[in-house]
Amino acid sequence: MLNKQEVRYCIDTMGEMFPDAECELNHSNPFELVIAVLLSAQCTDVLVNKVTQSLFKKYKKPHDYLKVPVEELQQDIRSIGLYRNKATNIQKLCRMLLEEYGGEVPSDRDELVKLPGVGRKTANVVVSVAFGVPAIAVDTHVERVSKRLGFCRWKDSVLEVEKTLMRKIPKELWSISHHRMIFFGRYHCKALNPQCPECPLLDLCREGKKRMKKRSAISAK
C-alpha cells in the first residue's frame, strides 16, 4: 500500500489534472443538496441535475414535498432509478426535518444519518459541501481509485476505506481530496476503460502496472 507521502503526491497530481474539481450536483442550499445526493444513489449527477432543475422550482421547502401525494412526487422523479423508494424517503425525510429539526438540515453528521435515505456517504457530502466540515465521502469512484492505486486494501469495506483515507490524508485536505478523487475516477480512471497509458500516476499504481503488463503480453502474441 502507498504511504502518506505517496498518497499526498497522488492527490496533488489529481488536483493538477482537475483544478476545478467540486460537487457537480446543482443546489442552492443544504436542503436541496440533501435531496440531490439522496437522488444520486445509483444514478449519474447529470441525470439528477436534469430532474432537479424542475423539481427545485416546484418544491422549495420540506413542507412542499408533503403537500402532494407520494405518487405525484414519484412521477416528478420517475426518470431516476429507484424513484418509488426515493420518493417515499424524501417525504419521510421532510416530515422528520419539520418535526425534529425545525425544518432545517442539521450540520452534524450523526444527526444527518438519522434521516431516512441518508447514509454515511450522503451525510459526509452534506457536512463537507454545505457546512464546510472536513469529511471524505466514499462513493463508487473514491472506492475504486483508492483500491486501484493502493491507498487501501482490495478487501477493505467502504468504512475501512474512509478511515484509511482520513489517516493518510491531512484533515485540511479531506474535502478537496474527495472531489479530486471523484473527478479522477469519473473522467480518467474509469471503471471499464481506465486511461492507464496516459496516466501520470502509472508508476505508483499497482492496478495500472498489472493492466499494462497484460496489454503488452497480448500485443506480443
Side-chain angles (χ1 to χ4, degrees), residues 1 7 32 48 61 63 79 86 94 149 204 214 217-218:
M1 290 201 299
V7 170
E32 287 186 353
V48 172
K61 299 283 183 185
H63 62 80
S79 58
K86 288 175 181 178
C94 290
L149 278 166
L204 282 174
K214 199 178 285 183
I218 292 169

Side-chain angles (χ1 to χ4, degrees), residues 15-33:
E16 291 167 9
M17 294 172 73
F18 303 102
D20 301 318
E22 60 180 0
C23 178
E24 292 192 294
L25 290 169
N26 295 335
H27 65 283
S28 58
N29 55 57
F31 176 59
E32 287 186 353
L33 180 60

Side-chain angles (χ1 to χ4, degrees), residues 118-130:
V118 176
R120 189 177 178 91
K121 184 206 83 173
T122 300
N124 277 335
V125 172
V126 174
V127 297
S128 171
V129 175

